[in-house]
C-alpha cells in the first residue's frame, strides 16, 4: 500500500470512529447523565469552541513543526482522552463537566490534527492529483457520515455507550500507528521568523489579500453561516414531518448524495470549470433546503440534493487552496479558513433557531437558502471566476 493509501486508510478509520462517538456521547449525556437541552447545547459547542479560541494560533504552530509527528501525537492524544470516558463510567465517576472537558480536549486536538492533515497531503500526492485525492477523502467522509451513526447505534445497543466511545479511541490509536508507517523524510521548517503576531498576520494576509483565495474564503464563511441557520431549523422541522427515525434516514440520504456528488465532481469540473463547479455545488445545497419544504417525503429528497451539492463542491475549494499556497503557509492557510468556517456555525445556528422560534422553521430555512444563493453568485462575479486547477488524470 502506497503512502496515500495508508494516509487515506488512517483517516477513514478515525472518521468512522468519530461518527460513532457523535452518537454515543449524546446518548451518554441524555440517558446516563440526564442532561438538559442547555447542557446538550454546551456539550455540542465544546466540540467547536477550540476552533474559535485557538484556530489562528494552531496554523502558526503547524507551520513551525513537522506535520507527521503532529498527526501521530494528536491521534494518540485523542485516543487517550476518549479512553477517559469509559474509565470514568466504569467507576461511576462520569459527570457532565467531565464529559464536556473531554469533548473540548478532543476538539482542540482535532483542530491541530486536521490542520496538519490538510497541510501534509500535498507532500505525498502530486499536485495534479490533489483533486482526485480530496475527492476520495470526501467520499470516505460521506460513507462514514451515512453508516457511522448506524454502526454507533448498534454498538451502543450491544456494548453500551461508554464502550462505543472506546471503539473510537481504538480507531484513533490505529490511525496514529498507520500515519507512523508513512515513509519519507520531513524537514523541520526553516526558522526564519518566530514572532507569533507577525506569523498570524502573514497567514491572514495570505488568505484575505490573495486575489483568488479572498473571495473563495469569504463566500465560504458566508455559506457556513447560512447553512448553519438552515440546518438548525431543519432538525425540528424534519422530526415533526417524518419523526426521529426519519431524520436518521434523511441524514443517510444526504450521505448517499455526497458520495454520488463526489463521484461526478471531477467530470463536472472538466466540463464547466472550477468556479462554476463550486458555485453549482453551493446552489444545489440551497435548492435542497428549498425542496425540503415542498412536502413531508421531500425531506429525504431535499437532503439528498444537499448532499449532492456538498459532494460536487467539497473537494475543489480544498484542492485549490492546497495548490496555490506555499508549503510554509499551508498550516496557517488551512487553519485560518477552517476556524472562521466553523466559527460561523456557532453564530448561524442560534440565529436560525431564533428565527425558527419567533417566526417559523420554514422561514429560517428560506433565509438560510437565500443567503447561500447570494453568496454563491457573489463568488461567480468575483475574480475567482477565472480560477482553475491543473488537469487531473481521468
Amino acid at each position: 500500500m502506497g503512502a496515500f493509501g495508508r494516509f487515506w486508510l488512517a483517516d477513514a478509520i478515525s472518521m468512522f470512529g468519530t461518527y460513532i462517538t457523535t452518537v454515543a456521547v449524546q446518548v451518554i449525556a441524555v440517558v446516563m447523565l440526564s442532561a438538559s437541552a442547555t447542557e446538550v447545547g454546551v456539550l455540542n459547542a465544546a466540540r467547536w469552541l477550540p476552533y474559535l479560541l485557538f484556530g489562528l494560533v494552531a496554523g502558526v504552530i503547524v507551520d513551525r513543526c513537522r506535520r507527521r509527528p503532529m498527526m501521530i501525537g494528536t491521534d494518540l492524544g485523542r485516543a487517550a482522552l476518549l479512553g477517559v470516558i469509559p474509565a470514568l463510567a466504569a467507576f461511576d465517576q462520569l459527570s457532565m463537566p467531565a464529559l464536556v472537558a473531554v469533548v473540548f480536549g478532543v476538539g482542540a486536538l482535532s483542530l491541530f490534527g486536521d490542520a496538519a492533515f490538510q497541510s501534509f497531503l500535498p507532500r505525498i500526492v502530486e499536485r495534479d492529483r490533489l483533486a482526485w485525492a480530496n475527492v476520495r477523502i470526501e467520499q470516505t467522509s460521506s460513507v462514514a457520515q451515512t453508516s457511522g451513526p448506524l454502526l454507533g447505534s448498534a454498538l451502543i445497543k450491544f456494548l453500551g455507550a461508554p464502550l462505543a466511545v472506546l471503539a473510537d479511541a481504538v480507531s484513533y490509536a490505529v490511525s496514529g500507528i498507520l500515519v507512523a508507517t508513512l515513509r519519507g523524510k520531513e524537514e523541520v521548517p526553516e526558522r526564519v521568523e518566530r514572532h507569533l503576531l507577525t506569523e498570524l498576520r502573514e497567514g491572514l494576509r495570505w488568505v484575505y489579500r490573495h486575489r483568488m483565495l479572498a473571495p473563495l474564503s469569504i463566500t465560504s464563511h458566508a455559506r457556513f453561516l447560512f447553512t448553519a441557520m438552515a440546518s438548525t431549523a431543519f432538525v425540528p422541522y424534519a422530526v415533526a414531518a417524518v419523526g426521529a427515525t426519519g431524520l436518521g434516514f434523511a441524514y443517510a440520504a444526504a450521505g448517499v448524495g455526497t458520495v454520488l456528488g463526489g463521484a461526478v465532481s471531477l467530470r463536472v469540473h472538466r466540463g464547466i470549470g472550477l468556479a462554476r463547479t463550486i458555485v453549482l455545488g453551493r446552489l444545489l445545497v440551497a435548492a435542497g433546503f428549498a425542496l425540503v419544504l415542498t412536502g413531508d417525503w421531500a425531506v429525504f429528497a431535499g437532503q439528498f440534493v444537499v448532499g449532492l451539492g456538498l459532494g460536487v463542491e467539497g473537494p475543489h475549494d480544498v484542492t485549490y487552496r492546497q495548490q496555490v499556497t506555499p508549503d510554509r503557509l499551508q498550516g496557517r492557510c488551512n487553519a485560518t479558513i477552517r476556524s472562521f468556517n466553523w466559527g460561523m456555525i456557532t453564530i448561524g445556528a442560534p440565529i436560525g433557531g431564533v428565527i425558527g422560534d419567533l417566526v417559523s422553521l420554514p422561514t429560517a430555512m428560506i433565509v438560510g437558502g437565500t443567503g447561500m444563493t447570494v453568496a454563491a453568485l457573489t463568488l461567480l462575479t468575483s475574480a475567482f471566476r477565472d480560477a482553475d486547477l491543473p488537469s487531473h488524470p481521468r
Side-chain angles (χ1 to χ4, degrees), residues 30 39 41 95 149 154 157-158 200 254 285 289 298 385:
V30 174
E39 288 174 321
S95 64
K157 181 178 180 180
F158 292 106
L200 284 176
V285 174
F289 282 108
R385 65 181 179 273

Side-chain angles (χ1 to χ4, degrees), residues 301-379:
Q303 280 295 289
F304 173 82
V305 174
V306 167
L308 188 68
L310 293 175
V312 167
E313 174 207 356
H316 296 293
D317 52 4
V318 175
T319 300
Y320 182 78
R321 70 176 184 250
Q322 286 173 335
Q323 290 193 327
V324 302
T325 301
D327 185 73
R328 68 183 184 84
L329 289 169
Q330 285 281 348
R332 278 168 283 178
C333 176
N334 288 315
T336 295
I337 294 173
R338 287 173 62 87
S339 296
F340 284 110
N341 280 347
W342 295 120
M344 290 299 103
I345 296 177
T346 65
I347 299 172
I351 292 176
V354 169
I355 295 175
D357 287 337
L358 296 182
V359 186
S360 70
L361 296 172
T363 299
M365 280 190 276
I366 290 171
V367 171
T370 301
M372 284 181 252
T373 301
V374 172
L377 296 179
T378 298
L379 181 62

Side-chain angles (χ1 to χ4, degrees), residues 47-310:
R47 171 66 176 84
W48 304 113
L49 185 58
Y51 286 81
L52 283 177
L53 296 179
F54 316 123
L56 298 180
V57 176
V60 173
I61 294 174
V62 168
D63 283 336
R64 287 181 175 185
C65 304
R66 290 186 298 147
R67 288 150 193 171
R68 189 169 71 100
M70 181 170 288
M71 289 188 291
I72 297 169
T74 54
D75 274 346
L76 297 181
R78 283 177 283 189
L81 270 178
L82 288 168
V84 169
I85 293 177
L88 289 176
F91 292 98
D92 199 25
Q93 296 297 311
L94 189 59
S95 64
M96 277 304 298
L99 194 61
V100 168
V102 169
V103 169
F104 178 85
V106 170
L109 289 172
S110 296
L111 164 63
F112 287 90
D114 292 348
F117 175 88
Q118 288 192 339
S119 304
F120 188 76
L121 183 61
R123 295 192 172 197
I124 59 173
V125 176
E126 296 177 0
R127 287 189 174 261
D128 63 352
R129 290 178 63 84
L130 273 172
W132 170 85
N134 279 311
V135 165
R136 297 297 172 265
I137 292 171
E138 188 77 19
Q139 288 175 321
T140 305
S141 175
S142 303
V143 173
Q145 178 185 349
T146 303
S147 56
L150 299 177
L151 178 59
S153 297
L155 289 174
I156 291 169
K157 181 178 180 180
F158 292 106
L159 301 178
L163 288 180
V165 173
L166 185 60
D168 189 17
V170 172
S171 77
Y172 276 119
V174 173
S175 174
I177 293 170
L178 282 170
V179 172
T181 66
L182 292 175
R183 298 185 181 277
K185 186 177 180 181
E186 186 182 8
E187 300 290 343
V188 177
E190 184 180 354
R191 300 188 175 213
V192 177
E193 177 60 68
R194 282 295 179 263
H195 190 280
L196 179 62
L197 292 180
T198 300
E199 291 174 273
L200 284 176
R201 285 196 296 267
E202 186 181 16
L204 288 168
R205 281 198 302 266
W206 173 257
V207 173
Y208 296 112
R209 291 187 180 179
H210 193 283
R211 182 169 176 265
M212 301 295 189
L213 273 183
L216 177 63
S217 302
I218 292 169
T219 57
S220 293
H221 303 336
R223 179 181 75 78
F224 271 78
L225 173 72
F226 290 111
T227 302
M229 293 170 59
S231 299
T232 298
F234 169 76
V235 174
Y237 179 89
V239 170
V242 297
T245 301
L247 176 64
F249 282 104
Y251 283 142
V256 172
T258 307
V259 172
L260 293 179
V264 302
S265 62
L266 293 181
R267 293 183 181 180
V268 173
H269 168 232
R270 285 194 290 265
I272 64 176
L274 176 65
R276 288 182 176 83
T277 298
I278 292 175
V279 169
L280 173 62
R282 295 180 180 182
L283 290 177
L284 283 171
V285 174
F289 282 108
L291 179 58
V292 163
L293 300 174
T294 62
D296 291 353
W297 287 100
V299 167
F300 306 108
Q303 280 295 289
F304 173 82
V305 174
V306 167
L308 188 68
L310 293 175

